[in-house]
Amino acid sequence: MPSSTDNCHDVSALCPVSATTLGYYPNLGANAFFLACFAVCAIVTVVIGVWKRTWAFGIVVGAGFILETCGYIGRVMMHYNPWSDSGFKMDLVCIILAPTLICAGIYLTLKHVARTVGPNFSRIKPRLYTWIFIPFDVFCLCLQAVGGGVDAAASDTRPVNQKTLKAGNDIILAGIVLQVVNLAVFGLLSLDFYVAAMKHFHRSPSSSSSDQNSSAARIWYSKRFRIFCVAVSGAYAGILVRCIYRIAEMAGGWGNSIMRNEVLFYVLEGAMVLYPAILLSIFSPGLFFPEMGDAAASVAVPSENEAEKQENSDEGGMIGLRAE
């Protein structure tokens, strides 16, 4: 940003809106809409999480929706003053970090689905999903937070330190790229698990009637569970598209044409996070996959060792198809 605008705090002849990072007045109606929707999703998710005892999912995903709400509060502030430093920082930090928490909630679902439907259909032990993907997701979050902090510090200097600003941007970009890689690996493992489970449960009933009548099979064939899986898959796809968009947005540096395209932001950032938020709120695991709750899991879900022993005794079990 040119030095003549280093001391800009409000729009004026010397500080035009075109000289801001975004280059426009964020639309009040659009941002108020996203703000309200994410606030409702946060309330619904936390309430259902507490009510149905899906604590981890409710807290983590609810926190992500709260961050989204705060991010759009920042954009509403910039509608009234595009030079608002606090508004820009809220937008920058909250909207970048929020999807990382939503991803963590999605990772949790595969762990519980694998434990419930059949640990032997998974390439890795179900408990490892939370030990592998969530810590790596947190690492990506930390990278993006550090990058945002570096950018904020650079913006506070007069004149703005462009070298430091670029370094912060590169750190944020690295965090988003790694997040996409993490999401891609998770998606492949999820698909692999689904194919293995589908092959198992779609075998002829005469080959293993006990399998077809098991509690895992009843869950697999239940409409409620199928709806939940479709909802989570749809949410995953939206977050993945959003992260790919963020790579393109951040790769061009601050104030590039993609970052200044408001419509593109609402379509590939706002909508690609909002519709997953709506799916995860309406088709919450507490309602559509209650086995994920602590109380239900302790009663209905066998331990991994028990499930493995049962699977070993199946006729033509999956041991030969899926390594432990």
Side-chain angles (χ1 to χ4, degrees), residues 209-317:
S209 59
S210 62
D211 282 352
Q212 300 299 323
N213 295 322
S214 66
S215 60
R218 287 194 294 271
I219 293 172
W220 175 264
Y221 286 112
S222 69
K223 183 178 180 180
R224 181 178 61 182
F225 177 73
R226 294 299 181 89
I227 292 174
F228 173 73
C229 290
V230 171
V232 173
S233 298
Y236 165 84
I239 297 296
L240 181 61
V241 170
R242 174 267 176 193
C243 289
I244 294 173
Y245 158 73
R246 274 295 187 177
I247 292 176
E249 181 192 44
M250 298 302 295
W254 295 104
N256 68 79
S257 59
I258 295 178
M259 187 175 291
R260 286 171 166 251
N261 190 321
E262 187 176 16
V263 173
L264 202 61
F265 173 86
Y266 294 135
V267 173
L268 295 180
E269 169 66 46
M272 287 301 105
V273 180
L274 179 58
Y275 97 77
I278 293 173
L279 288 176
L280 295 175
S281 299
I282 295 176
F283 305 106
S284 169
L287 300 176
F288 285 81
F289 184 48
E291 291 79 11
M292 191 169 171
D294 293 341
S298 64
V299 175
V301 181
S303 68
E304 291 176 28
N305 290 333
E306 291 172 346
E308 289 166 7
K309 290 177 182 178
Q310 180 181 353
E311 188 66 19
N312 288 334
S313 65
D314 288 343
E315 295 177 16

Side-chain angles (χ1 to χ4, degrees), residues 198-218:
M198 182 178 64
K199 288 180 178 179
H200 175 77
F201 288 115
H202 286 197
R203 290 181 300 176
S204 173
S206 60
S207 65
S208 180
S209 59
S210 62
D211 282 352
Q212 300 299 323
N213 295 322
S214 66
S215 60
R218 287 194 294 271

Side-chain angles (χ1 to χ4, degrees), residues 154-167:
S155 299
D156 285 339
T157 61
R158 293 294 181 270
V160 174
N161 189 322
Q162 295 296 329
K163 185 177 180 180
T164 303
L165 197 67
K166 182 180 184 304

Side-chain angles (χ1 to χ4, degrees), residues 34-54:
F34 283 110
L35 189 164
C37 289
F38 280 116
V40 170
C41 288
I43 294 170
V44 170
T45 299
V46 172
V47 169
I48 294 178
V50 174
W51 173 33
K52 294 296 184 179
R53 300 179 64 82
T54 50

